Amino acid sequence: MALAARIRWRSLLLHGSIATTALGLGLMSWFIAKPMATRIHQTVPGERLTITATPNIDISLDADSSVTVSNGEPPQIELLRGNAYFDAKGGGAGKLQVKVGTTYINDVGTRFSVSKRVNGGTIAVADGQVEILVEMGTYLVGAHEQADFDGIRVTGQRVIADADIAAWRPTQ
């Protein structure tokens, strides 16, 4: 009787450890199943480029500009240099976040342009709103407004004309 009980416990312990190992491996593969890939898009002086980051997000790059786009959902986008115009339409609106230096820009609206400088940048909003997250807090910039940011604060928020939103773009 005692021998049969020990054999049952060993069998239960063996099967339990196999099931626990299988569950652990399954969870690990679920967490690391899709590796993150990042594409870099850049233009040379004199060249302009429009790319489709997702079916609902288009990015237009000015001459001598560079941007990275991850394959995550939503995509992680970083403006490395130059000027970019973002057009989020349909399901892309509200799902776009752009990193410029240490500043994050969340799309609340649909269309805006960003220019990167050495110590920050400038944003101009065509439609909707964007949130700018800097060290001092969160700022909202609405349609037909432009603002400067430096990673710490947002300054110079002002109303601008449509032609000034992305003056480098040939078709607006």
Side-chain angles (χ1 to χ4, degrees):
M1 185 90 143
L3 182 61
R6 272 196 301 177
I7 292 174
R8 262 188 266 136
W9 275 107
R10 283 184 184 169
S11 176
L12 182 64
L13 195 60
L14 176 67
H15 288 94
S17 65
I18 291 171
T20 303
T21 302
L23 179 64
L25 289 173
L27 286 173
M28 261 181 29
S29 68
W30 183 66
F31 281 117
I32 60 173
K34 187 176 179 185
M36 183 67 72
T38 302
R39 300 178 315 269
I40 186 166
H41 302 279
Q42 56 188 359
T43 58
V44 296
E47 174 192 31
R48 290 193 172 108
L49 175 69
T50 298
I51 60 166
T52 302
T54 70
N56 295 316
I57 299 172
D58 291 332
I59 304 170
S60 296
L61 294 176
D62 190 13
D64 198 26
S65 298
S66 176
V67 68
T68 62
V69 180
S70 74
N71 66 344
E73 187 57 43
Q76 298 172 356
I77 300 171
E78 182 173 4
L79 180 61
L80 301 174
R81 73 171 189 272
N83 304 311
Y85 182 82
F86 299 90
D87 186 2
K89 51 196 173 280
K95 295 184 178 179
L96 174 61
Q97 184 179 62
V98 180
K99 182 180 180 199
V100 182
T102 59
T103 302
Y104 287 91
I105 300 166
N106 291 324
D107 170 45
V108 181
T110 55
R111 296 182 297 140
F112 61 97
S113 69
V114 181
S115 297
K116 184 173 191 226
R117 293 189 310 267
V118 174
N119 295 323
T122 302
I123 186 164
V125 181
D127 286 329
Q129 285 184 325
V130 295
E131 289 179 335
I132 304 174
L133 286 76
V134 291
E135 191 176 306
M136 297 290 284
T138 302
Y139 295 82
L140 283 177
V141 178
H144 308 291
E145 289 185 331
Q146 180 174 341
D148 301 318
F149 56 88
D150 62 5
I152 298 171
R153 68 187 65 82
V154 173
T155 59
Q157 193 167 346
R158 58 204 169 274
V159 176
I160 59 171
D162 283 344
D164 296 331
I165 291 173
W168 50 269
R169 286 185 74 219
T171 57
Q172 293 195 24

